Amino acid sequence: MDYEKLKDRASKVFDDYELFFLKEKVKKYETRDAELCGVEIKYEEGIALRGIKDKRLVFSYTYDREDMAIEMLIENGVSLLPYVEKDENAGFPGKYENYPSTSVYDSEGLKADDINKVAMLVEMEKAIIDFDKRIVVTRNCELQEADIQVKIMNSNGLTAEARKTLYMLSAMAVAKDGDEVSWYDWLWSDRLNEIDAKAFGIHTAQKTVSFLSSEQIETGVYDGMLTPQASSDMLGILSSSFLSENLYKDKTMLKGKKGAKCFSRIVNIKDSGTEGTDSFPFDGEGVPSCENIVVKEGFFDTFLYDSYYGRKYDVPSTANCERAGVKELPKCGTRGFFIEKGLRNIAGELTNGIIIEELMGTHTANPVTGDFSLGAIGYLCKNGIKRPFKGVIFSGNIFELLNNVKEIGNDLRFFGTYGSPSLYVEGLKISGK
């Protein structure tokens, strides 16, 4: 593709334009019974155009790499202009000189032999099976490798270009001993050599057998712990409340509460473009990634803005534009959204109370009010003795829950774009037997 020709054509047709180039190669390895059973390769390469003419913004995209694709891309955009309303806030970011230095590209990992990557999977699967004779089968033993290249250019002189890798290891183990239980887990890294497949396999096996002989617990209000996985799921429910788009659409309980205490004083929440699985030097429209403190010591501090809603509210972008791919319009979104870790390890210290390990049905929660009613599994602790439970409903309100946090651990872990350490919380409402 002739970049200069495309820029020249776009500049002659539109008052302002933005070009988004994406190359993404994903390779997935899968093993079964400690042998390779499949390799899947997906490749995506395309261009997205946003053009503005007479304050009307249009969007088009193509996966065609031939020169004629330039004309098709432009013509498709122009054809939409009569159907688009004028928008005074339509525009693109200006030029930036500096971008944060990130270590998200692993060229050595990409060059590693397929044999070594399959060996990692086999080692993980064997570690699961060999851990306990009650583990009867493994499923979804996969290693996924993504190589992502992005380039963004616009008519304001902005040029941003970067590349990243992402490795994700996953497995499910099934155990039987009277009853049958399963546990699915995954981990990720931008660098292949940072993944310990054997340790992950042992952890998955330990977690699986720990849920054998699970029972319902009594209905009641408990004090207890939310693990990083459960806490991250809760944070995913809350995250949309911090978006300026939802402020504009009146879909957040935080409207008008800037500077007010909304959570426990020990809760600090940040959004960072250089944390989590989507870490990158810039956001979806080329604004340099940065760290934004949205909650400081329990007080709500700021909403998150892309450049569009930044113009609406006359504030700078907080680098919170996200893109799902070539054929999706960019939108305001969180990047790496997490609760800041505490000073010490509190996991494993609970002697009386409950530990919530996994939540089911988080998509049913109300992201505006924060109300939720979710399935949960975990452990009941009595006098230091821990036994697993299942088949209960955990209900409440995410705003109230984060107001009742009494201690935060130092075991911060990211599950995708959301991260949290363990949280010790009072007043967890459980509906059981």
Side-chain angles (χ1 to χ4, degrees):
M1 175 65 69
D2 188 334
Y3 293 149
E4 292 304 317
K5 183 177 180 181
L6 180 52
K7 287 170 60 179
D8 182 63
R9 285 289 293 119
S11 65
K12 290 178 179 177
V13 174
F14 298 105
D15 300 329
D16 291 289
Y17 67 86
E18 174 199 78
L19 297 169
F20 173 81
F21 304 90
L22 173 68
K23 291 182 182 180
E24 183 172 6
K25 182 179 181 181
V26 178
K27 195 171 186 179
K28 183 173 72 175
Y29 307 83
E30 184 176 2
T31 59
R32 187 181 300 126
D33 299 326
E35 292 184 356
L36 179 67
C37 67
V39 178
E40 182 179 317
I41 300 175
K42 293 182 179 179
Y43 186 77
E44 178 180 352
E45 183 174 2
I47 308 168
L49 163 73
R50 287 196 294 167
I52 300 173
K53 183 73 172 179
D54 298 327
K55 299 181 181 179
R56 292 179 169 87
L57 187 146
V58 293
F59 172 78
S60 66
Y61 67 91
T62 181
Y63 292 106
D64 195 340
R65 302 298 297 167
E66 302 297 328
D67 285 343
M68 64 179 295
I70 294 177
E71 292 304 322
M72 291 177 60
L73 193 67
I74 300 293
E75 289 174 9
N76 287 342
V78 170
S79 68
L80 296 172
L81 285 170
Y83 307 101
V84 177
E85 294 183 359
K86 289 187 176 182
D87 188 341
E88 297 292 334
N89 297 115
F92 305 116
K95 182 179 179 180
Y96 292 91
E97 297 295 338
N98 298 307
Y99 287 91
S101 176
T102 57
S103 179
V104 295
Y105 178 61
D106 179 16
S107 59
E108 293 303 314
L110 291 176
K111 289 187 289 187
D113 290 338
D114 287 352
I115 294 174
N116 294 332
K117 293 167 184 174
V118 174
M120 287 178 61
L121 274 175
V122 171
E123 182 181 38
M124 175 194 73
E125 191 176 1
K126 291 187 70 174
I128 295 172
I129 291 294
D130 294 344
F131 181 80
D132 194 297
K133 64 181 181 180
R134 293 172 293 179
I135 295 178
V136 294
V137 69
T138 59
R139 298 174 184 150
N140 305 111
C141 294
E142 297 176 356
L143 174 65
Q144 184 170 291
E145 171 189 271
D147 178 13
I148 305 163
Q149 300 178 62
V150 173
K151 184 172 184 176
I152 301 175
M153 300 184 293
N154 71 27
S155 52
N156 294 328
L158 181 147
T159 299
E161 187 171 9
R163 188 174 183 179
K164 75 168 289 178
T165 48
L166 183 65
Y167 299 89
M168 291 187 286
L169 186 68
S170 64
M172 175 185 283
V174 179
K176 287 184 179 181
D177 188 11
D179 61 340
E180 179 176 304
V181 297
S182 63
W183 179 260
Y184 173 84
D185 206 350
W186 65 287
L187 59 77
W188 64 273
S189 176
D190 292 307
R191 313 192 79 79
L192 183 64
N193 63 8
E194 292 178 356
I195 292 179
D196 189 332
K198 184 177 181 179
F200 174 72
I202 292 171
H203 170 79
T204 302
Q206 286 175 329
K207 189 69 72 173
T208 305
V209 298
S210 75
F211 285 111
L212 286 167
S213 303
S214 296
E215 298 178 349
Q216 274 192 326
I217 57 175
E218 298 287 341
T219 295
V221 179
Y222 297 81
D223 298 340
M225 200 91 68
L226 271 69
T227 63
Q229 179 174 338
S231 300
S232 295
D233 284 344
M234 298 304 293
L235 199 60
I237 299 170
L238 178 71
S239 62
S240 63
S241 295
F242 293 87
L243 299 179
S244 54
E245 179 176 357
N246 288 328
L247 169 64
Y248 181 75
K249 295 177 179 179
D250 203 17
K251 291 183 177 181
T252 171
M253 300 291 286
L254 295 174
K255 185 174 182 177
K257 294 184 179 180
K258 185 173 181 179
K261 182 181 176 298
C262 298
F263 309 100
S264 167
R265 282 188 176 271
I266 63 171
V267 171
N268 295 286
I269 303 177
K270 296 180 178 180
D271 182 88
S272 172
T274 57
E275 300 282 355
T277 53
D278 287 348
S279 58
F280 213 60
F282 48 86
D283 74 353
E285 52 190 351
V287 177
S289 293
C290 60
E291 184 175 89
N292 300 290
I293 301 172
V294 295
V295 174
K296 186 174 183 179
E297 296 178 352
F299 288 81
F300 171 51
D301 191 69
T302 185
F303 285 100
L304 299 170
Y305 300 86
D306 59 3
S307 64
Y308 178 77
Y309 284 97
R311 282 188 292 275
K312 278 187 175 293
Y313 286 98
D314 196 27
V315 297
S317 169
T318 56
N320 281 95
C321 176
E322 64 171 4
R323 297 183 93 124
V326 169
K327 60 182 180 181
E328 301 291 337
L329 272 165
K331 63 179 182 178
C332 185
T334 54
R335 305 275 308 282
F337 198 76
F338 67 100
I339 296 175
E340 195 173 33
K341 66 182 180 181
L343 298 176
R344 69 186 192 94
N345 184 8
I346 64 172
E349 288 193 354
L350 191 70
T351 55
N352 289 287
I354 63 171
I355 301 170
I356 296 179
E357 281 278 356
E358 185 180 21
L359 299 170
M360 285 79 76
T362 52
H363 65 283
T364 65
N366 189 320
V368 179
T369 65
D371 294 331
F372 62 86
S373 183
L374 311 170
I377 62 173
Y379 309 99
L380 174 67
C381 300
K382 282 190 176 180
N383 301 319
I385 298 174
K386 187 170 72 171
R387 62 184 177 89
F389 67 78
K390 64 179 179 180
V392 306
I393 299 297
F394 171 40
S395 59
N397 180 277
I398 183 63
F399 292 94
E400 293 177 6
L401 184 146
L402 289 180
N403 239 320
N404 293 328
V405 174
K406 301 304 177 184
E407 192 163 7
I408 298 176
N410 63 359
D411 54 342
L412 171 63
R413 182 180 171 189
F414 272 86
F415 291 83
T417 57
Y418 302 110
S420 177
S422 296
L423 305 179
Y424 179 75
V425 187
E426 291 182 347
L428 302 174
K429 299 174 184 177
I430 298 294
S431 296
K433 62 182 179 180

